[in-house]
Amino acid sequence: MGKGFFNVPIAVNEPVKGYAPGSPERDAVLKAYKEMFNSKTDVPMYINGKDVTTGSTRTMSPPHDHQHIVGQYHVAEQSHIDEAISTALEARKAWADMPWEQRAGIFLKAAELIAGPYRAKINAATMIAQSKTVHQAEIDAACELIDFLRFNVQFMTDIYMEQPESTSDAWNRIEYRPLEGFTYAVTPFNFTAIAGNLPACMALMGNVVVWKPSDSQVYSAKVIMDVFKEAGVPAGVINVVFGDPVMITNTVMASPYFSGLHFTGSTFIFKELWKQIGNNIHNYKTYPRIVGETGGKDFIIAHKSANAKQVATAISRGAFEFQGQKCSAASRAYIPSNLWNDVKNYVIEDVNSFKMGSPEDLNNFITAVIHEGSFDKLAKYIDQAKADDNAEIIAGGGYDKSKGYFIEPTVIVTKDPKYTTMCTELFGPVITIYVYDEDKYSETLKLVDETSEYALTGAILSADRYAIVEATQALQNCAGNFYINDKPTGAVVGQQPFGGARASGTNDKAGSAQNLLRWVSPRMIKETFVTPVDYRYPFLG
Ligand code: NAD
């Protein structure tokens, strides 16, 4: 098929637009927001290149205005999942043999559609569906998804170029086959980019996919699917299904052709899915690949030499952007006693200056949390902290779900370094701080390492290089993404490949070639030019 060794465009990160007053991007996104907010969208499933409506529907409402309805989506019965699987397997016959540059062309086109004609729409959808501020929507739904699509094409060619040595009489080649069967993408609510990337990166490598987005992200998932369609993803290659996650997963995993799970979401669900795959292992035609990026209890530790204002800013940004609903959000901090007074005052000043409300008002830094279940859970932990003797709330602590699911950014200070909110992932705008004796740095590093089951992100702030060296060593297993003198959030595709260890996931680094390698099964081909005709080796005489 190939008639040239093609170079792909060099991937560059999409510049983040500013949305300053008077800018064209600000006008465009607000116009799109208004139009979408004030209309009703019907979201079908998408199976075998066709919109599928079932008549069994659920409504969609913005978390910041939960009585307002922006549309409905159709949910699957088991027969729809069976159809998604069989059409994916049918589509595989042509897709797996599609020349790589043609697959690349489709996803590079998808990136440019998002960068241009779909940018306002995908950002507005993310503001409405997931209550992101325009900045959070821009860095996620537009820029990160564009980056994933562009960089993955480059990573794919890097992988394909990894070839073994050959000799004059034998030519050794590796081809990177897609997995045999179909793959399953299960995506979380909190990143539109992850929702798009999980199915897209598997499809880019030649796989066919059944994709189940989160119920809380369907509205922006629809825009992703519209982009994929317009970019030319062929029928059956990515099939989108909505509805009961247990029924969908049971049906997918009962198929002997299930060949891979690409999951991002909570740790408990991932462990359950892994167990289910294990229980079915005798039924599969191939060992399914399992990639999961899950929860975190991400930390900031400051050394006594750190700058208090920098520490406070790392906390304010790291803990509260997108209401703390980033897997990387700082949710526990360890502050030395000498800095505490200043850090405390700066953080309280920051938190009190945050404006909270609808993302349509671009003055707001904080909006609503994703749904009532999340709101109720966070309110419960806040109430508990108010009641507990060993915890004190020094900022925030209020909540109100009358119009939207609004939780005030909340700072808890505890005297117990193992206090429940120091250990448990809350996934909301709540950080817990433990103030340690400034002379007990080494002991505190041990505490950081031993406090949580997770190992996703973490940060050390220090002006003392020996303290940085010590933290880098002592904390080597408790963060897959480790930050020095920065907040622990904000990974950029192509710059900081992302993923955690321990209970946080399989650490297959989204936004890197390592992740794409999980979706191929290499075939070694040795071609011998002069084939022997005598079994006797020279030593036989
Ligand atoms: P979630 O686990 O509730 O849902 C994730 C996906 O799993 C959704 O599509 C959901 O419908 C599906 N699901 C739920 N129950 C299921 C079941 N029984 N069987 C099969 N599928 C099921 O997570 P969420 O609330 O959408 O996202 C937040 C979580 O995701 C947090 O724990 C966060 O730390 C994690 N996260 C991790 C990363 C990372 O890169 N490590 C990135 C984003 C989010």
Side-chain angles (χ1 to χ4, degrees):
M1 280 278 204
K3 296 180 185 64
F5 295 108
F6 311 113
N7 294 329
V8 295
I10 293 168
V12 285
N13 291 112
E14 176 67 11
V16 177
K17 290 186 187 284
Y19 295 87
S23 62
E25 67 267 18
R26 185 179 177 111
D27 295 345
V29 81
L30 287 176
K31 184 165 172 277
Y33 182 102
K34 274 196 181 62
E35 277 169 19
M36 294 165 80
F37 190 84
N38 293 318
S39 54
K40 302 261 184 291
T41 304
D42 189 60
V43 184
M45 296 187 290
Y46 188 68
I47 300 171
N48 199 20
K50 291 188 206 74
D51 289 343
V52 175
T53 54
T54 61
S56 173
T57 57
R58 293 187 197 154
T59 55
M60 300 183 293
S61 296
H64 49 277
D65 191 352
H66 52 60
Q67 293 307 301
H68 180 79
I69 291 173
V70 291
Q72 61 176 14
Y73 62 98
H74 293 256
V75 298
E77 286 168 17
Q78 192 180 326
S79 58
H80 299 109
I81 311 306
D82 288 333
E83 193 190 340
I85 294 169
S86 59
T87 57
L89 290 170
E90 188 58 32
R92 189 185 183 281
K93 293 174 188 162
W95 181 247
D97 287 332
M98 171 84 84
W100 68 262
E101 73 277 8
Q102 306 295 337
R103 283 186 265 122
I106 290 171
F107 290 103
L108 289 172
K109 176 169 179 167
E112 292 318 294
L113 289 171
I114 298 167
Y118 280 86
R119 193 179 199 116
K121 196 171 183 197
I122 203 163
N123 282 339
T126 302
M127 292 165 76
I128 292 170
Q130 294 125 285
S131 288
K132 291 208 173 192
T133 62
V134 73
H135 174 68
Q136 292 298 319
E138 167 76 4
I139 60 175
D140 162 22
C143 298
E144 189 169 329
L145 184 48
I146 294 165
D147 290 351
F148 274 132
L149 294 165
R150 287 181 185 153
F151 277 87
N152 281 343
V153 165
Q154 194 173 299
F155 297 143
M156 173 179 70
T157 59
D158 292 345
I159 289 172
Y160 286 178
M161 280 190 285
E162 277 288 318
Q163 293 294 328
E165 297 296 319
S166 295
T167 57
S168 59
D169 60 347
W171 185 9
N172 299 318
R173 310 191 284 272
I174 289 187
E175 60 177 22
Y176 293 89
R177 302 170 301 181
L179 305 181
E180 197 178 2
F182 72 96
T183 60
Y184 182 38
V186 181
T187 57
F189 79 82
N190 66 333
F191 274 89
T192 302
I194 295 176
N197 179 49
L198 266 51
C201 74
M202 295 195 291
L204 174 68
M205 301 309 286
N207 297 284
V208 288
V209 189
V210 175
W211 169 29
K212 196 211 83 60
S214 159
D215 283 337
S216 304
Q217 190 261 327
V218 169
Y219 195 72
S220 51
K222 160 91 170 91
V223 185
I224 296 172
M225 217 44 231
D226 289 345
V227 169
F228 288 167
K229 265 193 268 186
E230 191 169 334
V233 175
V237 171
I238 297 178
N239 302 279
V240 189
V241 296
F242 305 127
D244 177 5
V246 175
M247 179 279 286
I248 296 172
T249 301
N250 286 345
T251 311
V252 163
M253 291 188 182
S255 167
Y257 300 98
F258 166 65
S259 65
L261 169 69
H262 204 183
F263 177 88
T264 300
S266 54
T267 299
F268 179 81
I269 301 292
F270 182 54
K271 287 183 175 176
E272 288 295 299
L273 299 187
W274 190 305
K275 197 161 72 183
Q276 194 168 345
I277 294 168
N279 287 341
N280 289 345
I281 199 71
H282 290 290
N283 303 335
Y284 298 132
K285 295 200 173 289
T286 174
Y287 294 99
R289 298 284 166 89
I290 306 176
V291 172
E293 294 304 330
T294 72
K297 190 68 196 170
D298 310 303
F299 61 84
I300 291 174
I301 174 160
H303 181 252
K304 64 184 174 187
S305 62
N307 173 309
K309 186 74 177 135
Q310 291 173 2
V311 174
T313 304
I315 292 174
S316 301
R317 284 187 166 177
F320 299 124
E321 284 184 308
F322 188 37
Q323 296 74 258
Q325 298 171 121
K326 298 186 182 188
C327 46
S328 56
S331 61
R332 54 183 172 127
Y334 303 78
I335 308 299
S337 45
N338 65 315
L339 296 187
W340 175 232
N341 213 27
D342 285 348
V343 171
K344 177 180 177 179
N345 290 336
Y346 289 137
V347 169
I348 291 175
E349 196 181 311
D350 281 351
V351 170
N352 290 343
S353 74
F354 294 163
K355 292 203 170 77
M356 185 164 77
S358 163
E360 189 182 6
D361 177 349
L362 268 50
N363 292 310
N364 290 325
F365 186 72
I366 302 289
T367 74
V369 299
I370 193 68
H371 48 48
E372 191 166 23
S374 172
F375 177 94
D376 289 347
K377 181 176 90 173
L378 290 159
K380 191 181 96 206
Y381 278 102
I382 289 171
D383 285 347
Q384 190 61 48
K386 286 177 183 164
D388 284 340
D389 289 342
N390 52 1
E392 183 197 359
I393 293 180
I394 61 163
Y399 48 79
D400 179 359
K401 64 175 172 182
S402 51
K403 185 172 169 71
Y405 302 114
F406 290 103
I407 300 271
E408 281 179 11
T410 297
V411 182
I412 301 172
V413 179
T414 182
K415 294 190 190 71
D416 175 5
K418 298 277 174 82
Y419 182 66
T420 166
T421 60
M422 289 296 282
C423 313
T424 311
E425 183 186 51
L426 304 187
F427 219 59
V430 179
I431 186 165
T432 309
I433 295 176
Y434 173 69
V435 182
Y436 71 91
D437 178 342
E438 67 194 77
D439 295 322
K440 295 219 165 122
Y441 180 61
S442 302
E443 294 88 326
T444 308
L445 290 175
K446 195 161 185 292
L447 200 55
V448 174
D449 184 46
E450 290 172 353
T451 294
S452 148
E453 62 173 317
Y454 301 108
L456 193 50
T457 76
I460 164 74
L461 286 100
S462 169
D464 176 339
R465 189 48 73 165
Y466 287 110
I468 292 172
V469 171
E470 187 182 348
T472 307
Q473 179 68 21
L475 304 177
Q476 63 179 301
N477 291 317
C478 56
N481 283 55
F482 186 63
Y483 293 80
I484 298 170
N485 287 328
D486 204 345
K487 63 185 168 60
T489 60
V492 175
V493 177
Q495 297 185 34
Q496 296 101 20
F498 191 80
R502 293 186 182 161
S504 291
T506 53
N507 202 9
D508 288 293
K509 297 292 186 216
S512 79
Q514 280 151 282
N515 182 284
L516 299 190
L517 262 179
R518 300 301 311 277
W519 310 118
V520 290
S521 177
R523 176 167 74 150
M524 174 62 224
I525 299 173
K526 178 189 177 194
E527 179 174 352
T528 296
F529 296 129
V530 181
T531 309
V533 289
D534 183 356
Y535 87 90
R536 292 174 191 81
Y537 294 105
F539 75 90
L540 292 172

